[in-house]
Amino acid sequence: MSDLNRILKAGEPLTLAGAPTGFLPWLAADLARAAHGSGKGGRAVFIVPDEAEMRALADTAPTFAPELQVITFPAWDCLPYDRASPSLRVMAERLAALQALQVKRDGPQLFIATANAATQRTLTPFRIRQLTRRLAPGERIDRDQLVTLLSTIGYQRTDSVADAGDFAVRGSLVDLFPAGQKHAIRLDFFGDEIETMRAFDPADQRTTGAAEAFTLMPASEALLDEDSIKRFRSRYREQFGANATGDPVYQAVSDGRRLAGMEHWLPLFEERLETLFDHLGDDDIVVREGGVEGAVEARYDSIQDYFRNRERAMVADPGSYRPLAPTALYLSRKEWGGFLADRPVHLTSPFPEPEGERVVDFGVTPARDFAPERAQNENVYEAVAAHVRQLAKDQRRVVLASYTGGARERLAGLLKDHGLTSLKAAESWQAALGVRESAA
């Protein structure tokens, strides 16, 4: 606990040494609990190199703190200056994450962002609040007003709802598949009041049960309300000249039509954009994983390469794609460095370092790697069994983790065949801590 208190009270960034990748979920869970329990209502914020590490951390951290609320903030799943838009799933996840940062929380919270997401500008907190709407049985909203709102915030009107981001209108019924929700929702109106809400399966359109109240999130980060369209038209002409009014993206937005890739001109739609750091509280504990700086540098190189390619292509075909300067949508290197200097953003390292004023060493060594045995076609399970016996001999508790219950049973059977007969099954980390035998 003393190490956690040092991190909570630190006024300058610390190096969190002796923290290999396998230890980060435990560290993240403990930091989230400590930040929440400090009385200031903070959260733990982890910035990781890529989406794979984000998902791994999000999946694993609740093992050590079942009450933990985990929020993931991915980057767009398209290339910089792409002609394709980010997927609905990603934009919904991003907007839901930013909205969750503004909601009062009752327990510990862990917010995980990728390096690419942390270096991209976002909608402002005010804009996030402005674009969300709570829908519940008994809520009063004019049906036509709801239809207009859905079109404005990126939903596509169809004959029948099939995918996330679709909505359909049939008499007093409004079907929609809300961004960030697992099920499609059928709203039945009585006048201007939502009388009932039921979940339904888009495959056969049959209802599956009552639906709970939910927050309607936009389906896109680029919105086509009247003010946004006017703002885009004015800024596009200002940025690229009067001759640019014939460009496909300008024509589509002017007509109120969505065009694939229009999100890459997001700065022209909004009065201003902010950064992830603007959404965080002063008491949030921010940690970046050791590989983040390399990921950030690779990201900046990629952005510059794609921007230069678009500039060269614009010479040959000016109206096909007019790119905004990289700093319009992405943080500059100087801005990124400034955010790291403005607040304590701690850095994890898998390597041990001597304890010091700016170093907290957790003393955790990386897990044993059995790759050499695999490379030499040796019996891996025999090596695992021998390793577990040695750890038990050294008076150390051993916990073996598996992805599923079936995998656990198979592993236990194989290890029993190699002499580990005292294995005990545990359904959770907390249960494993209570097992006193040699392995759990």
Side-chain angles (χ1 to χ4, degrees), residues 3-4 7 14-31 46-49 53 57 287-292 346-355 359-367:
D3 288 341
L4 295 180
I7 298 170
L14 302 175
T15 296
L16 310 183
T21 300
F23 176 66
L24 294 184
W26 191 344
L27 176 61
D30 276 359
L31 278 177
F46 269 63
I47 303 174
V48 296
E53 292 205 28
L57 181 56
V287 177
R288 72 188 195 277
E289 198 266 337
V292 164
H346 309 300
L347 175 68
T348 68
S349 169
F351 306 108
E353 294 187 27
E355 284 273 355
V359 176
V360 175
D361 188 85
F362 289 95
V364 178
T365 56

Side-chain angles (χ1 to χ4, degrees), residues 68-213:
L68 185 65
Q69 180 192 10
V70 179
I71 301 168
T72 51
F73 187 62
W76 286 354
D77 56 346
C78 57
L79 298 172
Y81 300 102
D82 206 344
R83 290 187 181 275
S85 293
S87 67
L88 171 65
R89 176 192 65 80
V90 163
M91 286 193 287
E93 187 174 1
R94 286 169 54 83
L95 291 167
L98 295 177
Q99 193 267 343
L101 291 178
Q102 303 185 46
V103 176
K104 183 179 180 180
R105 53 198 177 279
D106 298 323
Q109 189 179 85
L110 171 63
F111 186 94
I112 313 170
T114 65
N116 287 359
T119 53
Q120 181 174 327
R121 302 189 192 279
T122 69
L123 299 180
T124 67
F126 172 77
R127 189 67 160 146
I128 296 293
R129 291 193 297 272
Q130 185 184 44
L131 297 173
T132 57
R133 175 67 188 261
R134 184 178 182 273
L135 297 181
E139 192 82 12
R140 300 186 71 85
I141 179 172
D142 181 73
R143 193 204 64 170
D144 293 337
Q145 181 184 349
L146 176 61
V147 169
T148 301
L149 173 65
L150 290 170
S151 297
T152 298
I153 62 177
Y155 287 81
Q156 300 293 321
R157 185 167 183 169
T158 59
D159 292 333
S160 61
V161 170
D163 298 309
D166 290 347
F167 79 95
V169 181
R170 295 180 290 111
S172 65
L173 299 178
V174 176
D175 292 348
L176 69 151
F177 203 142
Q181 297 292 315
K182 296 180 180 179
H183 308 288
I185 307 291
R186 178 163 292 150
L187 310 179
D188 191 354
F189 280 80
F190 183 76
D192 60 354
E193 180 179 314
I194 300 175
E195 186 173 27
T196 62
M197 283 176 34
R198 298 184 65 82
F200 73 93
D201 185 352
D204 58 15
Q205 300 293 303
R206 293 182 178 179
T207 57
T208 57
E212 297 180 351

Side-chain angles (χ1 to χ4, degrees), residues 57-70:
L57 181 56
D59 290 343
T60 313
T63 301
F64 305 102
E67 77 280 18
L68 185 65
Q69 180 192 10
V70 179

Side-chain angles (χ1 to χ4, degrees), residues 303-326:
I303 291 169
Q304 289 295 334
D305 285 345
Y306 285 113
F307 175 67
R308 285 192 290 266
N309 288 338
R310 285 300 185 191
E311 281 196 313
R312 285 193 290 268
M314 191 170 62
V315 174
D317 189 4
S320 64
Y321 196 112
R322 300 180 195 268
L324 295 175

Side-chain angles (χ1 to χ4, degrees), residues 20 22 364-370 387:
V364 178
T365 56
R368 166 81 153 80
D369 188 353
F370 295 92
H387 182 57

Side-chain angles (χ1 to χ4, degrees), residues 323-340:
L324 295 175
T327 54
L329 187 58
Y330 305 99
L331 305 186
S332 67
R333 283 182 169 88
K334 183 177 180 180
E335 285 178 297
W336 172 253
F339 283 119
L340 297 185

